[in-house]
């Protein structure tokens, strides 16, 4: 058995593999491409492709694919084999630079939001050399971006890379103001903590709701859920431990820095946290992690649920996006420095984030919006749907003193002057205590906690990168031509804090009082997906993305349409599943059980025995089933009337305002019926089975 360092990254054509397999000059050019996004010419691409193919074939690969991230939220691949006829019925394994760099595929079945007219259904995939190629199930996967014939982005990766370029460009301008002229690139870094549930595969197979929608649409509350907090960080059950071990191994082979695995708050809920890396790689790795999590679970006869809210009444699953900015020399720009000058630079970058989060709260909310995540945000288990920032008392005090020109250190009465005074080091745990904030400073990075577990982390990082790029741009524009840099810097920081103070909130984000306070402060409160999606294409936001060349107006409008459509489709499937389960299983089961009770009561009466139990339950279940029947008829009617909605926006509003409340009413009645019935007659595994079924 090989040791972890021996097999770590063995399925990745990474720096080590490139160094050992590429001619020195090619390797150098490749490095340059990866670091600074320089183009690679076709002659070099041919050499790289050939080396990549040899490496892949040696490691068992027979096929290659351009691996991309369309707007479906998952990844896509189309396999081509390396074989090429070499005469007389034999073949050789071939892979050209052209095949590496560019692929063409029929894009018509991926969501495009109307960008691509049907006669021009071609889509192109283009190699993203900043993310390493890897082997998955004997296929060489080449990370690519996915565009239409006209060059419009049809994926998550293209805008992400564009946003990274935008922030790099603006951050470099700021850094040169601080005398750092030798920085060639600035990258954002991300560590995405991923939550998930594990359920037994045999039980899963009996739940149509889990199969079709990823979440339970019904399920009475079991006697125990998470109230004892005994699962959180609790000892890991042997079946789960075996799974985690396998998972780690698979992820490590793919060079994914899986670091911590532990139980989460809800029963059957777990978390995996990797060590951070650059945002584009972190995004690829998170997509891969989700895929591998599901595959490995199947091997252990379990199903990994990535839905944001698989179970009512217990915590849902999220993703914490830990985010920072790093120079190509490895300096973390959100790390407070040792000298006053370094600290001034830190404060400016910090302010850039504060300004960005306040100015683009609406976009950040949009970036985490989905039908699934609507169940979590504001439900007292995840941050509210209102964006605010937590900085911690120490940092808050420092900012206060800058704004008010007041004493910072109560004892020494120092008036904090940017660029003159040294800031204290912030204890990491001092800033980490607040777990209820959507956007918290945690010592040398920000943790954005509103992301749902199922969605790609790309959207959130596209917004973050672009919004911060915009703050930095406005700062650079202001500071580049001033006479007294230090004065101007002090004023700029002061002004930012004054203007954007409202976004900072250090209290309990789960408190209802906060929502009222937030409204007084003029912060957005956008509880549902249809509430927030329209902001995606407001003039302010179109301007931001166009300015930084991250999205064109057309691309944004297309995405706006895709997200609305996605919301409607998800709810449509959920509603149809409710109808199916109720009419095919639930009502027949209730009827059968009532029939059995009637028979029992009939016989008991012969003996003049007390039938009050049977009679009460018969009455109770009969009125519940009549109610369920009536409501499902109503649901069916409303669902077909939605087809006449003028557009997807109206449709989405109808789903939210009429379908969801109806589904909730039906669920409540069904759950009551489940509690009244013999478990022998209930057609589905119960919550207790699902949540506590794995030992
Ligand atoms: P915890 O959330 O338990 O306090 P940490 O704060 O150490 O744990 O890390 C949480 C996540 O943040 C990890 O994925 C870690 O790799 C990531 N992280 C740490 N530093 C950075 C950084 N500079 N940029 C992005 N992510 C980071
Ligand atoms: Mg964390």
């Amino acid at each position: 058995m090989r040791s972890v360092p021996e097999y770590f990254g063995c399925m990745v054509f990474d720096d080590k593999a490139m160094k050992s397999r590429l001619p020195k000059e090619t390797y150098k050019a490749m490095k340059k491409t990866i670091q600074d996004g320089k183009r690679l010419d076709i002659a070099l691409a041919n050499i790289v492709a050939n080396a990549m193919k040899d490496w892949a074939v040696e490691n068992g690969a027979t096929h290659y694919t351009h691996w991309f991230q369309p707007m479906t939220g998952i990844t896509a691949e189309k396999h081509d084999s390396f074989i090429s006829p070499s005469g007389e019925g034999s073949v050789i394994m071939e892979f050209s630079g052209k095949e590496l760099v560019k692929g063409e595929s029929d894009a018509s079945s991926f969501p495009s939001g109307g960008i691509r007219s049907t006669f021009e259904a071609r889509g192109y995939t283009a190699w993203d050399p900043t993310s390493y190629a890897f082997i998955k199930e004997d296929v060489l996967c080449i990370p690519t971006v996915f565009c239409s014939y006209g060059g419009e982005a049809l994926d998550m990766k293209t805008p992400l890379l564009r946003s990274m370029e935008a922030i790099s460009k603006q951050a470099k301008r700021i850094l040169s103001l601080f005398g750092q002229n030798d920085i060639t690139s600035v990258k954002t870094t991300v560590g995405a903590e991923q939550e998930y549930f594990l359920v037994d595969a045999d039980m899963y197979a009996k739940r149509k709701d889990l199969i079709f929608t990823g979440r339970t649409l019904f399920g009475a509350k079991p006697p125990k859920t998470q109230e004892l907090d005994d699962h959180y960080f609790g000892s890991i059950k042997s079946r789960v431990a075996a799974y985690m071990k396998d998972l780690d191994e698979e992820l490590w082979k793919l060079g994914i820095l899986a670091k911590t695995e532990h139980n989460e708050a809800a029963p059957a809920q777990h978390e995996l946290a990797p060590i951070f890396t650059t945002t584009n790689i972190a995004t690829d790795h998170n997509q891969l992690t989700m895929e591998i999590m599901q595959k490995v679970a199947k091997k252990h006869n379990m199903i990994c649920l990535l839905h944001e809210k698989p179970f009512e009444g217990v915590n849902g699953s999220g993703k914490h996006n830990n985010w920072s900015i790093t120079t190509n020399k490895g300096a973390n720009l959100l790390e407070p420095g040792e000298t006053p000058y370094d600290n001034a630079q830190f404060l400016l970058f910090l302010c850039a984030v504060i300004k960005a989060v306040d100015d683009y709260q609406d976009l950040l909310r949009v970036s985490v919006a989905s039908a699934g995540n609507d169940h979590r945000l504001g439900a007292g288990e995840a941050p509210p749907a209102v964006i605010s920032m937590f900085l911690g008392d120490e940092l808050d005090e420092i900012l206060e003193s800058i704004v008010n020109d007041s004493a910072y250190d109560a004892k020494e009465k120092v008036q904090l002057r940017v660029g003159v005074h040294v800031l204290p080091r912030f204890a990491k745990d001092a800033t980490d205590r607040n777990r209820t904030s959507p956007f918290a400073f945690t010592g040398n990075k920000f943790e954005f906690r509103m992301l749902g577990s199922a969605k790609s982390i790309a959207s959130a990082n596209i917004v973050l990168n672009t919004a911060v790029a915009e703050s930095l741009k406005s700062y650079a524009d202001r500071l580049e031509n001033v006479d007294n840099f230090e004065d101007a810097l002090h004023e700029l920081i002061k002004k930012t804090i004054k203007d954007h103070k409202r976004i900072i909130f250090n209290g309990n984000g789960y408190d209802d009082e906060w929502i009222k306070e937030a409204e007084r402060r003029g912060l957005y409160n956008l509880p549902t997906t249809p509430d927030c999606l329209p902001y995606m294409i407001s003039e302010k936001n179109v301007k931001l993305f166009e300015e930084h060349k991250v999205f064109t107006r057309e691309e944004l409008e297309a995405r706006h349409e895709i997200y609305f459509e996605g919301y409607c489709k998800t709810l449509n499937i959920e509603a149809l599943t409710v109808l199916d389960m109720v009419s095919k299983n639930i009502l027949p089961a209730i009827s059968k059980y009532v029939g059995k009770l009637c028979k029992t009561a009939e016989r008991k009466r012969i003996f003049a025995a007390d039938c009050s139990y049977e009679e009460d339950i018969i009455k109770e279940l009969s009125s519940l089933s009549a109610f369920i029947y009536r409501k499902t008829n109503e649901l069916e009617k409303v669902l077909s009337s939605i087809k006449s909605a003028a557009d997807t926006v109206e449709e989405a509003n109808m789903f939210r305002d009429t379908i969801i409340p109806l589904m909730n009413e039906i669920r409540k009645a069904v759950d009551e019926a489940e509690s009244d019935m013999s478990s022998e007659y209930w057609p589905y595994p119960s919550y207790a089975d699902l949540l506590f079924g794995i030992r």
Side-chain angles (χ1 to χ4, degrees):
M1 172 100 185
R2 287 188 299 171
S3 70
V4 178
E6 274 170 340
Y7 72 76
F8 185 84
C10 66
M11 289 298 166
V12 187
F13 194 66
D14 56 9
D15 192 62
K16 203 168 67 192
M18 279 189 235
K19 200 167 184 175
S20 72
R21 286 171 180 267
L22 293 176
K24 216 171 178 171
E25 285 312 305
T26 317
Y27 171 73
K28 266 201 205 144
M30 208 33 227
K31 269 297 253 208
K32 196 106 197 91
T33 303
I34 293 169
Q35 219 159 53
D36 305 336
K38 296 273 173 314
R39 270 191 173 281
L40 200 65
D41 68 49
I42 190 71
L44 284 176
N46 274 325
I47 304 174
V48 177
N50 197 50
M52 214 185 247
K53 183 257 312 173
D54 287 345
W55 167 83
V57 171
E58 277 168 40
N59 283 289
T62 49
H63 288 68
Y64 72 92
T65 181
H66 277 197
W67 182 77
F68 57 103
Q69 300 171 27
M71 301 288 300
T72 51
I74 51 173
T75 58
E77 41 197 79
K78 178 182 145 229
H79 299 172
D80 280 299
S81 75
F82 290 125
I83 61 164
S84 169
S86 64
E88 294 177 13
S90 56
V91 294
I92 50 166
M93 303 295 255
E94 247 182 14
F95 186 47
S96 69
K98 206 170 128 246
E99 288 167 308
L100 166 65
V101 171
K102 194 170 171 186
E104 192 182 326
S105 70
D106 182 358
S108 57
S109 30
F110 292 108
S112 76
I115 259 186
R116 209 193 30 238
S117 40
T118 36
F119 61 86
E120 197 38 279
R122 261 179 303 174
Y124 290 95
T125 48
W127 182 31
D128 163 23
T130 61
S131 183
Y132 298 128
F134 56 91
I135 299 172
K136 185 168 62 79
E137 294 177 338
D138 297 340
V139 177
L140 170 67
C141 298
I142 298 143
T144 55
V145 297
F146 180 47
C147 297
S148 74
Y149 184 71
E152 290 101 348
L154 295 175
D155 67 348
M156 304 305 295
K157 206 56 192 295
T158 308
L160 181 67
L161 292 172
R162 290 175 186 160
S163 75
M164 289 186 72
E165 230 171 278
I167 194 169
S168 179
K169 180 173 160 197
Q170 304 303 335
K172 279 194 291 186
R173 285 176 71 195
I174 297 288
L175 289 172
S176 55
L177 290 170
F178 284 88
Q180 302 201 50
N181 295 307
D182 52 347
I183 300 298
T184 53
S185 76
V186 173
K187 288 200 166 127
T188 56
T189 50
V190 164
E193 302 165 57
Q194 174 77 44
E195 292 180 335
Y196 61 98
F197 279 86
L198 288 175
V199 296
D200 184 83
D202 298 334
M203 292 186 199
Y204 171 90
K206 292 182 188 143
R207 299 266 336 191
K208 288 185 202 168
D209 44 4
L210 286 178
I211 294 172
F212 295 136
T213 72
R215 73 181 184 103
T216 53
L217 299 171
F218 303 106
K221 196 180 172 323
K224 173 189 162 170
T225 53
Q226 63 187 58
E227 47 281 275
L228 297 178
D229 288 328
D230 53 350
H231 190 256
Y232 190 53
F233 279 62
S235 72
I236 297 171
K237 296 186 180 103
S238 58
R239 210 167 143 198
V240 176
Y243 164 78
M244 287 179 172
K245 183 169 176 287
D246 239 17
L247 177 61
D248 276 342
E249 265 174 43
E250 291 306 316
L251 294 176
W252 289 338
K253 281 190 215 159
L254 287 169
I256 296 172
L257 293 153
K259 174 82 174 160
T260 26
E261 306 234 15
H262 62 76
N263 288 353
E264 259 301 323
Q269 191 184 30
H270 311 281
E271 181 188 290
L272 181 144
I275 297 170
F276 71 98
T277 174
T278 55
T279 305
N280 55 329
I281 294 179
T283 303
D284 284 1
H285 281 183
N286 183 250
Q287 292 298 125
L288 270 176
T289 300
M290 291 194 284
E291 186 183 327
I292 308 286
M293 273 177 165
Q294 290 173 310
K295 284 204 173 124
V296 175
K298 283 194 183 139
K299 277 201 244 162
H300 291 256
N301 200 38
M302 297 190 288
I303 298 291
C304 170
L305 302 177
L306 291 169
H307 194 282
E308 289 87 354
K309 190 75 182 178
F311 302 100
E312 207 60 40
V314 301
N315 280 8
S317 297
K319 216 159 357 205
H320 288 174
N321 191 79
N322 296 274
W323 179 95
S324 192
I325 326 172
T326 310
T327 67
N328 61 311
K329 295 196 163 164
N332 178 351
L333 297 172
L334 291 177
E335 178 91 51
E338 303 282 352
T339 66
Y341 216 59
D342 285 347
N343 280 320
Q345 184 190 299
F346 158 73
L347 285 173
L348 192 64
F349 277 97
L350 181 82
C351 282
V353 183
I354 296 173
K355 177 174 158 58
V357 173
D358 188 30
D359 284 343
Y360 298 99
Q361 305 157 39
D362 46 352
L363 277 181
L364 284 169
R365 172 64 185 94
V366 168
S367 78
V368 299
S370 71
N373 216 18
D374 283 359
H375 295 286
R376 290 175 67 239
L377 300 178
E381 59 172 79
V386 179
I387 311 255
S388 68
M389 291 175 93
F390 172 84
L391 298 177
D393 294 340
E394 280 171 302
L395 198 49
D396 217 34
E397 207 181 314
I398 289 165
L399 299 186
E400 279 292 313
S401 94
I402 296 173
V403 176
N404 303 328
D405 290 319
S406 60
Y408 159 62
D409 188 325
K411 269 179 277 148
E412 294 185 21
K413 298 269 177 247
V414 200
Q415 274 207 4
L416 198 98
R417 178 91 194 145
V418 173
V420 176
H421 292 109
V422 181
L423 301 181
R425 283 266 163 183
F426 309 107
K428 215 182 136 247
D429 51 355
T431 58
D432 202 34
R433 258 179 247 137
N434 187 317
R435 309 299 293 180
T436 64
S437 174
F439 207 102
F441 182 66
T442 50
N444 60 4
K445 64 185 187 298
F446 277 97
E447 186 168 346
F448 185 24
R449 301 187 176 127
M450 284 169 86
L451 285 77
S453 50
K455 241 178 104 163
S456 160
I457 61 169
S459 328
N461 288 297
I462 293 166
V463 172
L464 255 172
N465 293 344
T466 314
V468 176
E470 172 60 26
S471 306
L472 295 172
K473 176 178 180 291
S474 75
Y475 291 169
D477 289 347
R478 170 83 191 87
L479 294 171
E480 265 165 0
N481 297 306
V482 290
D483 296 331
N484 187 330
F485 177 66
E486 273 175 37
D487 280 352
L489 184 64
H490 188 86
E491 282 314 306
L492 192 60
I493 289 176
K494 195 165 155 176
K495 182 169 165 21
T496 302
I497 302 163
K498 227 191 215 152
D499 291 350
H500 300 284
K501 226 171 120 64
R502 63 170 188 171
I503 197 76
I504 297 167
F505 175 64
N506 288 325
N508 180 3
Y510 293 2
D511 196 345
D512 287 341
E513 263 313 297
W514 160 237
I515 303 301
K516 286 182 208 138
E517 161 73 15
E519 269 161 28
R520 280 194 291 277
R521 290 187 188 190
L523 300 178
Y524 286 109
N525 180 11
L526 305 167
T528 71
T529 298
D531 290 329
C532 67
L533 284 184
Y535 288 89
M536 220 178 145
I537 48 169
S538 70
E539 279 314 304
K540 169 192 79 140
N541 295 334
V542 173
K543 190 161 166 271
L544 170 79
F545 285 125
E546 289 207 318
E547 167 81 43
H548 293 276
K549 302 194 165 46
V550 173
F551 287 120
T552 61
R553 180 184 294 274
E554 290 70 33
E555 286 172 333
L556 273 175
E557 282 171 354
R559 263 155 225 255
H560 172 262
E561 179 65 17
I562 291 170
Y563 290 142
F564 264 112
E565 250 175 47
Y567 179 82
C568 296
K569 280 184 187 158
T570 304
L571 280 156
N572 191 47
I573 294 171
E574 288 189 357
L576 289 174
T577 307
V578 164
L579 292 175
D580 181 279
M581 290 173 79
V582 167
S583 61
K584 297 239 168 62
N585 306 115
I586 294 169
L587 287 180
I590 298 175
S591 186
K592 194 169 165 191
Y593 184 57
V594 168
K596 149 106 181 149
L597 289 178
C598 287
K599 256 200 199 114
T600 309
E602 211 175 294
R603 290 208 195 111
K604 277 171 89 174
R605 277 189 205 107
I606 299 173
F607 304 100
D610 185 343
C611 296
S612 55
Y613 160 64
E614 287 79 6
E615 280 169 5
D616 282 358
I617 300 288
I618 290 166
K619 278 187 216 145
E620 168 88 14
L621 285 176
S622 302
S623 73
L624 283 172
S625 55
F627 178 84
I628 295 165
Y629 177 62
R630 211 171 58 241
K631 287 291 168 182
T632 43
N633 281 342
E634 208 179 310
L635 179 63
E636 213 171 342
K637 262 202 216 101
V638 181
L639 206 56
S640 58
S641 77
I642 282 185
K643 294 191 186 98
S644 60
D647 53 25
T648 41
V649 178
E650 191 185 309
E651 201 182 315
N653 288 331
M654 285 168 79
F655 271 111
R656 181 195 55 199
D657 299 333
T658 52
I659 299 289
I660 292 180
L662 267 171
M663 281 172 42
N664 288 342
E665 276 186 284
I666 295 170
R667 174 177 187 144
K668 195 162 167 278
V670 169
D671 291 356
E672 261 177 68
E674 183 187 346
S675 309
D676 284 341
M677 291 220 347
S678 152
S679 52
E680 198 189 319
Y681 280 75
W682 195 250
Y684 307 116
S686 69
Y687 261 37
D689 298 333
L690 291 166
L691 289 169
F692 298 96
I694 288 173
R695 266 162 253 287

